[in-house]
Amino acid sequence: MLRPKIPTNPTVTGIVTPSTTSGPVQPTHALAPVPVTSTRPTVQLTPGALITIVAGGTAAVLVIGTVLVSLLLAVAITAASVAVCAVVLRSLLNGQHKR
């Protein structure tokens, strides 16, 4: 039940290779080396373009970092104000029960 079933092919539809070989396999034809050519244009960076890319990347990192830090600070301030409100409300409610 758990053994895999290998399908049988009644007609040969390709190159038949024997399961065992009696000697070393010899290639039937030699492959000629194909020269590699690229149709894409090459990108050449001048020193000015490289400085512009580095400055733009640095500016992007600084802006994104500033935004993320300000969001984190906003969450921290909100959490602190909610905690202060909870302490004040608890104090007011406990004061009413004692009287």
Side-chain angles (χ1 to χ4, degrees):
M1 180 175 166
L2 297 175
R3 293 183 185 148
K5 294 182 181 179
I6 300 173
T8 57
N9 194 0
T11 58
V12 178
T13 58
I15 300 173
V16 178
T17 56
S19 59
T20 59
T21 58
S22 60
V25 176
Q26 299 293 328
T28 56
H29 55 57
L31 295 176
V34 178
V36 177
T37 59
S38 175
T39 59
R40 296 184 297 171
T42 58
V43 178
Q44 295 178 353
L45 293 177
T46 61
L50 188 62
I51 290 173
T52 304
I53 290 173
V54 169
T58 303
V61 166
L62 289 176
V63 168
I64 292 171
T66 303
V67 169
L68 291 177
V69 167
S70 64
L71 286 172
L72 182 63
L73 185 61
V75 168
I77 290 172
T78 304
S81 65
V82 167
V84 168
C85 290
V87 168
V88 169
L89 285 174
R90 183 178 176 190
S91 174
L92 289 174
L93 290 175
N94 282 340
Q96 287 180 355
H97 289 296
K98 288 183 181 179
R99 292 180 186 176

